[in-house]
Amino acid sequence: MSTTATLATLSDSDRLADPNWWRQASVYQIYPRSFSDSNGDGIGDLKGITAKVPYLKSLGIDAVWLSPFYPSALADGGYDVDDYRDVDPKLGTLADFDEMAKAMHAAGIKLIADIVPNHSSDRHEWFKEALASPKGSPARDRYIFRDGKGPNGEFPPSDWDSVFGGPAWERITEPDGTPGQWYMHIFAKEQPDLNWANREIREDFLKTLRFWSDRGVDGFRVDVAHALTKDLTEPLLSKLELSAANTGVDGFDDGSHPFWDRDEVHEIYTEWREVFNEYNPPRTAVAEAWVHASRRARYASPEGLGQAFNFDLLQADFNAAEYKEIITRNLAEAAATGASSTWVFSNHDVVRHATRYGLPQVSKAKAGAKGQDGKDWLLAGGPADQLDTDLGERRARAATLLMLAVPGSAYLYQGEELGLQEVADIPESERQDPSFFRNRGVEVGRDGCRVPLPWKVDGPSFGFGDGGAHLPQPEWFSKYAVEAQDGAEGSTLELYRAALKLRRELQTGEELTWHETGNPEVLHFSRPNGWQSVTNFGDTAVELPAGTVLVSSAPLEGSTLPANTTAWLRAGDQA
């Protein structure tokens, strides 16, 4: 398909066969354990997803990104993988996976699988073999083991911290019962880092890519794509030395960090691209790579993964100038490299944007949400006096409608189409995220955005399943339920459906043209095919340009655009 073709002219089968489908796709992220529970055990599963394929089709998305569904002890929400080529029995079977993939494809929906290459779980057969094997063995070489410091190796090899808090090294007990070596884990101690200098690791992941591609997976979301390769040449730098050497605004920008964003990681993705291109259409990939903006393009290279997540809007304030700068810069980078931009406001790791935008100040921390006093709103239990839910919902709707008008792929997180707010007041006894327990009092964790979805206005889990839910759902979920919004004029669900349908019909090319508005609070741009997007970031209504209104994020006031509202127009008569 040429980049100037209209997506609406393609049938579902044509879209599935289109090698460029990903460039301007609408991708819906499913966190399987919190989407739909088919057997009433409180945990979402693959059969539950299959049963909701008609809902996904009605939403108008192009693809589903499925967060990890592999066997796991859930030390990190499924990102601690026991077996990369199987399904967690709590979620279903490989046959259930095949049935789900078949149902999605029948509905014209692509399937993107999450893959977690930086680390396995500590229950993986390889790691169990490493613990049972001696120092220097091939089994140990699949991971990153080092001798400790001190006379008896009692201190870790370096003072590095884990992302989840605490040390990045864990000491093992040797097979003979004596204290032994240390292994590296950038995340939880149940997630030992794999040694990507070992050829066996590289070959096995190529096998995994083919395994899922052969089962109908159309692409992969690559978890922590910037951390696979490491330089652990002795002596290891200290935290202080790393901080002193940090030359980048958003981190190291020269590939010299010992484990983040090293240049040689792209050798791995070049091999992956060769596997992707064995298929017709080629399998796609998107990198989760929190890297300096100047280095993002390497992950999105056509010779590599093809796309990389752009989290700039996710971290931005609701501000017209900031949005315009981010959009302009990222579209220019994409055009220069042949990649396609990606846009996202919410996912399984961050506070839902309907909540972030309802606070007096939006945090630029990737998982935080701060109130006017600068303190973490979630750590205080989400005090209601700091949150304006109406304002948050209004801004979130406006921001999403603007995002859906911008060229590139739009990534949506389950429940945002319902306008769901973050669940702040989860009791400590019910929490699951390791970052809460490892960073107690500093980070509240990500459970609040992972609470199971409400499908019905009542019932033991608001229709999530016949039983309860693995994370507690608040009573106020009732008004956000699919049942309450389905067919309801002006609901957030119906706004998403209308916008995604129009997006397919209108989306052409990968360009936009900015128009001067004379008002710094208003962004106005046009797209090929004669349509426009206008967003009012201000607190007062503004005049709409000439055009016929196609959809708006809030009711219009005659020919004016209210505060915190986006509208799409087609050139023509005055609105």
Side-chain angles (χ1 to χ4, degrees), residues 32-69:
R33 291 168 176 82
S34 297
F35 187 69
S36 179
D37 173 17
S38 71
N39 60 8
D41 66 355
I43 301 172
D45 47 46
L46 299 188
K47 285 187 175 180
I49 296 171
T50 302
K52 298 298 185 184
V53 167
Y55 171 80
L56 298 170
K57 184 174 177 62
S58 75
L59 196 56
I61 58 169
D62 300 303
V64 160
W65 153 25
L66 200 63
S67 289
F69 50 87

Side-chain angles (χ1 to χ4, degrees), residues 157-497:
S158 73
D159 63 352
W160 299 339
D161 292 327
S162 155
V163 171
F164 291 155
W169 298 91
E170 185 76 9
R171 197 174 195 186
I172 69 167
T173 299
E174 296 293 349
D176 62 3
T178 60
Q181 288 191 297
W182 299 71
Y183 67 87
M184 184 178 179
H185 58 91
I186 296 179
F187 297 94
K189 65 183 178 65
E190 296 87 355
Q191 296 170 292
D193 282 37
L194 290 162
N195 173 21
W196 276 85
N198 186 323
R199 187 66 213 177
E200 184 181 4
I201 302 298
R202 301 195 181 203
E203 293 293 341
D204 196 73
F205 270 87
L206 297 179
K207 183 177 179 179
T208 295
L209 295 174
R210 292 188 176 98
F211 178 87
W212 292 112
S213 296
D214 290 342
R215 299 193 92 94
V217 166
D218 301 288
F220 298 89
R221 179 263 188 188
V222 186
D223 184 65
V224 200
H226 58 308
L228 276 57
T229 55
K230 300 171 175 70
D231 179 6
L232 302 185
T233 304
E234 299 285 355
L236 301 181
L237 297 178
S238 68
K239 286 190 296 186
L240 184 61
E241 289 170 321
L242 284 176
S243 178
N246 188 343
T247 58
V249 176
D250 301 320
F252 280 68
D253 61 1
D254 61 358
S256 64
H257 194 282
F259 51 87
W260 295 126
D261 188 32
R262 295 192 59 81
D263 291 340
E264 56 265 30
V265 75
H266 300 290
E267 298 170 7
I268 295 169
Y269 299 135
T270 298
E271 287 192 322
W272 286 24
R273 172 51 55 189
E274 293 173 359
V275 172
F276 298 155
N277 289 345
E278 294 172 4
Y279 295 86
N280 185 22
R283 295 330 189 215
T284 65
V286 58
E288 183 211 23
W290 292 86
V291 299
H292 192 272
S294 65
R295 294 178 64 81
R296 188 183 300 143
R298 301 192 68 185
Y299 295 86
S301 163
E303 294 76 36
L305 295 175
Q307 269 192 333
F309 275 124
N310 162 19
F311 298 113
D312 295 350
L313 281 183
L314 184 152
Q315 298 180 93
D317 289 324
F318 189 77
N319 176 277
E322 196 169 353
Y323 268 50
K324 184 175 182 179
E325 188 279 327
I326 287 169
I327 292 169
T328 301
R329 170 169 45 81
N330 281 282
L331 290 180
E333 288 177 2
T337 61
S340 169
S341 290
T342 61
W343 310 103
V344 60
F345 285 116
S346 287
N347 62 36
H348 67 293
D349 281 336
V350 302
V351 173
R352 289 184 176 276
H353 67 293
T355 295
R356 296 200 311 271
Y357 285 146
L359 291 167
Q361 147 186 341
V362 176
S363 168
K364 290 184 173 64
K366 71 176 182 178
K370 293 183 179 178
Q372 199 164 22
D373 57 6
K375 295 181 180 179
D376 192 306
W377 177 78
L378 289 171
L379 282 174
D385 61 352
Q386 288 187 7
L387 177 64
D388 185 336
T389 56
D390 290 338
L391 177 63
E393 182 176 341
R394 190 179 185 95
R395 285 178 168 178
R397 287 162 60 111
T400 296
L401 193 57
L402 182 153
M403 176 186 76
L404 292 175
V406 174
S409 294
Y411 282 80
L412 313 172
Y413 179 53
Q414 65 178 41
E416 71 169 80
E417 78 277 15
L418 307 177
L420 275 185
Q421 297 281 336
E422 188 84 359
V423 181
D425 54 352
I426 299 173
E428 180 172 330
S429 61
E430 302 281 350
R431 289 196 174 273
Q432 301 172 7
D433 191 347
S435 63
F436 170 80
F437 298 102
R438 293 176 65 92
N439 264 336
R440 193 182 296 273
V442 177
E443 190 173 335
V444 76
R446 302 157 293 178
D447 294 318
C449 65
R450 299 177 178 184
V451 175
L453 296 189
W455 294 91
K456 297 180 179 180
V457 297
D458 53 22
S461 59
F462 298 105
F464 169 67
D466 293 336
H470 68 93
L471 283 168
Q473 300 162 300
E475 287 301 318
W476 51 261
F477 257 35
S478 178
K479 69 177 181 179
Y480 292 95
V482 172
E483 183 180 54
Q485 298 193 46
D486 189 17
E489 184 177 356
S491 71
T492 302
L493 175 58
E494 292 303 331
L495 170 65
Y496 270 70
R497 285 172 170 166

Side-chain angles (χ1 to χ4, degrees), residues 86-110:
D86 204 353
V87 172
D88 192 319
K90 296 185 291 294
L91 274 64
T93 65
L94 283 170
D96 294 332
F97 180 91
D98 295 341
E99 180 184 359
M100 178 192 66
K102 182 178 179 181
M104 285 189 187
H105 289 156
I109 298 171
K110 295 274 193 176

